[in-house]
């Protein structure tokens, strides 16, 4: 998929459509292949036992908070491929005002995702953790926390290295 298009105007001159696609700063996976492979194994382990749609919602919300365009591209495409609706993906950025699009369990997971992702204000609040603990058995909660931690790590690689969105195909890395 290419997002940079050139069009010919009515007078025959070239008009640029979209902004130029920026290059990666660093292809870290190529230069640190053992870390990349370990991250893939960690990601696979963290997703075990989690509903695929919930897993993608968590990844999308953390990526929104971390401004990781590459991960947003990847996880919205994977969510759609897993059967998630466009409407729920779009509303995720305003989930607190769009609560009626999500189950209580999903809301607990999204709230926990925000609390774990945005640690600048302090610890994960007890009420957020307790709400998640009320909807997830301990083993599933541990997997959820692991998935949140893993996407935050992926986001840091993506944002730091300026990984370019737009080229991912669903299931490509999973």
């Amino acid at each position: 998929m290419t997002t940079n298009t050139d069009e010919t105007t009515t007078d025959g001159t070239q008009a640029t459509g979209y902004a130029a696609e920026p290059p990666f700063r660093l292809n870290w996976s190529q230069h640190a292949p053992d870390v990349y492979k370990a991250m893939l194994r960690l990601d696979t382990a963290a997703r075990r036992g989690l509903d695929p749609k919930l897993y993608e919602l968590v990844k999308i919300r953390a990526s929104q908070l971390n401004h990781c365009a590459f991960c947003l591209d990847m996880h919205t495409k994977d969510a759609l491929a897993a059967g998630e609706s466009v409407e729920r993906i779009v509303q995720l950025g305003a989930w607190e005002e769009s609560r009626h699009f999500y189950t209580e369990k999903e809301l607990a997971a999204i709230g926990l995702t925000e609390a774990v992702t945005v640690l600048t204000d302090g610890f994960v609040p007890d009420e957020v953790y307790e709400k998640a603990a009320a909807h997830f058995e301990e083993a599933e909660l541990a997997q959820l926390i692991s998935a949140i931690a893993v996407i935050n790590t992926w986001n840091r690689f993506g944002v730091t290295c300026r990984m370019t969105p737009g080229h991912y195909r669903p299931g490509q890395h999973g």
Side-chain angles (χ1 to χ4, degrees), residues 3-4 16 18 33 44 57 73 89 102 139 156:
T3 56
N4 187 5
T16 302
Y18 298 101
T44 299
L57 289 175
D73 178 54
I89 293 169
Y102 308 99
R156 275 131 183 91

Side-chain angles (χ1 to χ4, degrees), residues 48-118:
R48 281 192 199 118
L50 293 177
D51 174 80
K53 287 197 255 183
L54 175 71
Y55 173 78
E56 294 302 337
L57 289 175
V58 163
K59 290 201 159 211
I60 292 166
R61 186 63 190 135
S63 299
Q64 289 172 335
L65 293 166
N66 289 321
H67 305 281
C68 185
F70 181 85
C71 293
L72 281 169
D73 178 54
M74 175 186 293
H75 296 295
T76 55
K77 289 174 180 174
D78 283 345
L80 290 167
E84 188 54 81
S85 73
V86 170
E87 189 170 46
R88 284 173 29 108
I89 293 169
V90 169
Q91 292 300 319
L92 194 54
W95 68 273
E96 291 176 303
E97 296 177 38
S98 303
R99 299 176 62 80
H100 58 286
F101 286 94
Y102 308 99
T103 67
E104 288 299 320
K105 184 174 184 175
E106 290 167 337
L107 290 168
I110 295 164
L112 185 62
T113 300
E114 285 201 7
V116 172
T117 299
V118 184

Side-chain angles (χ1 to χ4, degrees), residues 24-43:
F24 278 27
R25 276 184 175 163
L26 175 70
N27 187 343
W28 74 271
S29 62
Q30 179 183 7
H31 297 289
D34 291 339
V35 175
Y36 179 72
K37 290 174 192 170
M39 283 296 299
L40 289 174
R41 288 190 306 273
L42 186 60
D43 196 287

